[in-house]
Amino acid sequence: MDAVDFAGLTAPETGPVPDSLAGDLEELIQNRRSVRQFSDRPVEPGLLSRILDAADYSPTGTNARKTGVIALSRRSDIDQLNGIIMRRFTALARILINPLTRPILRLVLGRETSARVFSYSSRIGEYWQGRDILTHDAPVLLIFYGDRRAPTASQDGMIRAANTMLLAEAHGLGSCYIGFLVIGIRLSPRARRFLGLQRGRRVFETMILGHPRVRYLRGVPRFGGDIRFFT
């Protein structure tokens, strides 16, 4: 059991995988849904640490180990980041609405990102009226980033995020990916400074967590994906 030793590294004490795990994992994946309504119950710091520590064992390409996560567990911090992002979106939306400046911004941001910001612009007013349309009043916000120089940086960040989501769901928490927050952080130097993201680090996914306000008895119906067995 102790035949291999890595100097300076410790391995977790683990037991054999129970036979029921495969079925439990299948049920967890099939029943998981995006949650945007959370109870007032806070996420216990010990539970959050346990989830993040376990997800730190996620695999990375070439074993680069260059992913990270920023956890915001105070609503005041999340609200401050929301304000920074939404002010950025508001400014960009004004430029996109103007037919004279729209082509210039498309060249700077790219057609796809510009289209997504423009489609989001109709909802920006809801935020300034007091509705949190970005992080949905969640008690925890997780920001997954990686070293853009890593050979599989984006894949590594997404794998870590997916494992974190499954662990959170297994502990009874609800979760939801927030793609527009990823765009907002990438477009806002002020947001990056607020989060302490160093040069060369890029955000690949963000996720809100909390105890769900509503518990559902059934899973979500899904359209079947393209699965083919090559023969």
Side-chain angles (χ1 to χ4, degrees):
M1 184 175 65
D2 297 322
V4 179
D5 178 45
F6 294 93
L9 300 177
T10 58
E13 294 290 338
T14 58
V17 176
D19 295 336
S20 62
L21 182 60
D24 293 340
L25 183 57
E26 289 172 5
E27 187 171 345
L28 178 68
I29 293 173
Q30 291 168 354
N31 289 333
R32 185 264 169 192
R33 64 174 65 217
S34 294
V35 173
R36 298 179 182 86
Q37 298 182 55
F38 301 94
S39 72
D40 295 331
R41 178 184 171 189
V43 176
E44 299 80 355
L47 175 58
L48 182 59
S49 294
R50 180 179 178 181
I51 291 169
L52 297 179
D53 288 345
D56 193 31
Y57 285 88
S58 300
T60 60
T62 69
N63 200 29
R65 315 302 303 168
K66 292 184 178 180
T67 62
V69 58
I70 300 171
L72 283 69
S73 57
R74 292 192 301 253
R75 271 309 309 183
S76 59
D77 293 333
I78 299 174
D79 289 338
Q80 188 172 349
L81 179 63
N82 282 350
I84 294 171
I85 297 299
M86 293 306 295
R87 281 190 287 273
R88 184 64 166 169
F89 277 147
T90 301
L92 292 174
R94 291 195 185 112
I95 298 174
L96 284 168
I97 291 173
N98 188 330
L100 296 178
T101 55
R102 185 184 306 168
I104 300 174
L105 194 61
R106 280 181 176 173
L107 289 174
V108 175
L109 300 183
R111 186 174 297 273
E112 181 179 350
T113 299
S114 298
R116 294 187 67 181
V117 174
F118 184 75
S119 68
Y120 197 62
S121 62
S122 62
R123 301 197 60 202
I124 290 177
E126 297 179 43
Y127 173 81
W128 297 117
Q129 293 172 7
R131 182 181 177 188
D132 181 8
I133 62 172
L134 196 57
T135 55
H136 305 280
D137 299 310
V140 174
L141 170 64
L142 303 179
I143 298 169
F144 300 88
Y145 67 90
D147 188 333
R148 67 176 64 197
R149 295 165 297 184
T152 55
S154 61
Q155 295 91 331
D156 297 345
M158 293 300 297
I159 290 171
R160 182 166 185 163
N163 283 344
T164 301
M165 178 200 70
L166 290 175
L167 286 162
E169 294 282 337
H171 284 284
L173 299 179
S175 64
C176 183
Y177 292 123
I178 308 295
F180 268 104
L181 191 56
V182 176
I183 295 175
I185 295 172
R186 290 182 179 179
L187 295 178
S188 173
R190 185 179 174 188
R192 292 179 58 85
R193 289 194 298 269
F194 174 76
L195 294 170
L197 281 168
Q198 299 175 350
R199 184 183 297 273
R201 304 293 190 268
R202 186 171 188 182
V203 171
F204 295 106
E205 190 56 86
T206 65
M207 180 193 308
I208 52 175
L209 289 180
H211 293 278
R213 184 182 300 172
V214 178
R215 292 287 183 181
Y216 296 90
L217 300 179
R218 296 183 179 180
V220 181
R222 306 286 189 189
F223 293 105
D226 182 16
I227 301 175
R228 295 180 295 163
F229 292 93
F230 190 83
T231 58

